[in-house]
Amino acid sequence: MLKEGNILIVDDNKELLVALKLYLSPHFKTVVTEHNPNRIKEHLTKSVFDIIMLDMNFKAGINNGNEGLYWMQEVHKHDPELAVVLITAYSDVELAVKAIKKGAADFIEKSWDERKILSTLRSVFELQKSKRDISRLKKKHKHLKECIETQSDMFIGQSDTMQQIMHMVKKVAPTDVNLLILGENGTGKEVMARTIHQLSARKDEMFVSVDLGAIHENLFESELFGHLKGAFTDAKTDRTGRFELASGGTLFLDEIGNLSMAAQAKLLAALQNREITPVGGTRPIKVDIRLICATNMPLQQMVAEGSFREDLLYRINTIAIELPALRNRKEDIGPLANYFIQKQADKYNKGSLSLTANAIEALKEQSWPGNIRELQHTIEKAVILCDSASICSEDLFLNNHQPKVLDDGCFNLNEHERLLIEKAIANCKGNMSKAAMKLGINRSTLYDKIKKYDL
């Protein structure tokens, strides 16, 4: 098994340092020892550590723990997030509480209880990993937050439908009601969810997005609720679930219509109780989330057919927002295209670009089964290939999305597959889940083939 974790042990007892290094080395990636606390800063400058084991008393005859607390503060000046486990030869509960209140991750005695030492360090290390994961996600969230105002421009349109939707969004976003966003693939359901989050009181907390269509049935609980180490064969470490990560913020569940009935029951229980229990765990964890779900599937029809729970639909559907297909909001195509032109021109250092009037008219004539996502892809391709400051209709490489009839004399498998996919997408009016079902493949495979054939 791959060893993880770098530990620095600082103690004036050199024999103890040798013993600890021998015992811990098989369990951690790196174990460094140091008997002189004055060299702690030197070690921190040269190497990156996950945990520092730090003696509380270095001078003979002194056992008040102040030395350990002082050096812990020095460590945290260098790295406030670094985990410090304090060790002492004296069983002093008050000293332990004092140390933890001042920032220690844990506290152990020099009683040489091997199992306790190892379990303490393992627990602290796993907690550090979880904190780093959350920190990384928060940095990603911060980046997305900086981009959200620009992304929201995608919903500023001239059509009455979009004006009504944005009016509703401004009303419901500040509340904590559960929302269901409906619409075809590519209409911007996740961007809408992020916009709502940014307009809510939870905007400074996490926005966690989960594509339920991409999660295997067997991993549903582990992904959403987390798991403990050893809960199943591949559970090598503890894992924080998406519900817990999103607590305090917004949880976005995309493609909720793809959930099996068993998964629906588990999700409903978590939403009703507002708590989750990690796989392999026995202690429930309270969660505080604002739930936004999305789907391109007809949930009311699925309820009637018995493939979607009615009580779950009521739970997620306090307010529904249906995003229109791009072909039904043609007056917004021009503003959206101009937005994408500028965005892609900046991305590819193309300077100032513009669309000619005939290019915009050509865009409006398209059926856009892939909706906004397809429009964005079309504009990006045109920007990359353009040689002038103006992009005309010929530069857009458009087609009318009407499936071609294959020549009986053509035996090219790729051409047959491309046209069959085009026909399925058009037949399903851009609903990728239905198209994938008709083609007998899963959604991810369909998207791979769409990229392959540049559809």
Side-chain angles (χ1 to χ4, degrees), residues 3 20 41 115 135 199 213 385:
K3 292 190 290 184
L20 283 172
K41 291 182 181 178
R115 292 203 307 178
S135 177
L199 294 172
L385 298 176

Side-chain angles (χ1 to χ4, degrees), residues 395-408:
D395 298 320
L396 295 171
F397 302 97
L398 297 171
N399 59 67
N400 61 8
H401 291 290
Q402 297 300 317
K404 299 175 184 176
V405 177
L406 193 65
D407 186 342
D408 289 340

Side-chain angles (χ1 to χ4, degrees), residues 197-211:
H197 172 75
Q198 185 58 27
L199 294 172
S200 75
R202 296 171 179 257
K203 64 182 180 180
D204 294 324
E205 299 298 330
M206 290 286 289
F207 176 94
V208 177
S209 176
V210 186
D211 182 357

Side-chain angles (χ1 to χ4, degrees), residues 406 410-425 439 441 445-446 448-450 452-453 455:
L406 193 65
C410 176
F411 296 96
N412 185 289
L413 288 175
N414 285 341
E415 186 64 15
H416 276 275
E417 183 175 61
R418 184 180 66 81
L419 293 177
L420 187 62
I421 291 170
E422 275 192 328
K423 184 176 180 180
I425 293 172
L439 291 165
I441 57 179
T445 301
L446 175 57
D448 286 343
K449 291 184 181 296
I450 287 172
K452 176 182 176 181
Y453 297 120
L455 297 177

Side-chain angles (χ1 to χ4, degrees), residues 300-425:
Q300 292 286 1
Q301 181 182 328
M302 291 171 68
V303 168
E305 294 170 351
S307 59
F308 198 87
R309 293 180 64 116
E310 187 173 27
D311 48 1
L312 178 58
L313 179 58
Y314 289 146
R315 177 69 60 172
I316 66 176
N317 188 26
T318 306
I319 292 179
I321 298 173
E322 184 161 8
L323 298 180
L326 189 56
R327 60 183 172 276
N328 295 330
R329 46 183 290 218
K330 289 187 179 292
E331 58 265 57
D332 295 336
I333 291 177
L336 281 168
N338 284 320
Y339 162 71
F340 287 131
I341 279 281
Q342 206 52 55
K343 183 179 177 181
Q344 300 301 334
D346 292 342
K347 179 179 177 181
Y348 295 106
N349 297 315
K350 288 280 188 169
S352 179
L353 294 178
S354 62
L355 288 162
T356 63
N358 77 329
I360 292 178
E361 286 306 310
L363 291 172
K364 289 181 179 180
E365 292 173 4
Q366 299 299 298
S367 57
W368 300 114
N371 292 293
I372 297 175
R373 187 182 296 127
E374 184 183 2
L375 174 63
Q376 183 176 9
H377 174 73
T378 297
I379 296 297
E380 182 174 17
K381 181 166 60 175
V383 169
I384 292 172
L385 298 176
C386 74
D387 293 319
S388 65
S390 296
I391 295 178
C392 62
S393 59
E394 290 78 12
D395 298 320
L396 295 171
F397 302 97
L398 297 171
N399 59 67
N400 61 8
H401 291 290
Q402 297 300 317
K404 299 175 184 176
V405 177
L406 193 65
D407 186 342
D408 289 340
C410 176
F411 296 96
N412 185 289
L413 288 175
N414 285 341
E415 186 64 15
H416 276 275
E417 183 175 61
R418 184 180 66 81
L419 293 177
L420 187 62
I421 291 170
E422 275 192 328
K423 184 176 180 180
I425 293 172

Side-chain angles (χ1 to χ4, degrees), residues 39-77:
R39 297 191 60 197
I40 289 176
K41 291 182 181 178
E42 181 184 336
H43 285 286
L44 295 179
T45 303
K46 293 194 312 185
S47 305
V48 176
F49 295 98
D50 299 293
I51 301 172
I52 292 186
M53 291 181 68
L54 181 62
D55 192 9
M56 294 201 73
N57 301 295
F58 289 92
K59 294 177 182 176
I62 298 177
N63 58 16
N64 58 17
N66 286 338
E67 288 179 291
L69 295 177
Y70 167 78
W71 286 112
M72 180 177 70
Q73 290 172 350
E74 292 300 303
V75 167
H76 284 159
K77 285 180 184 178

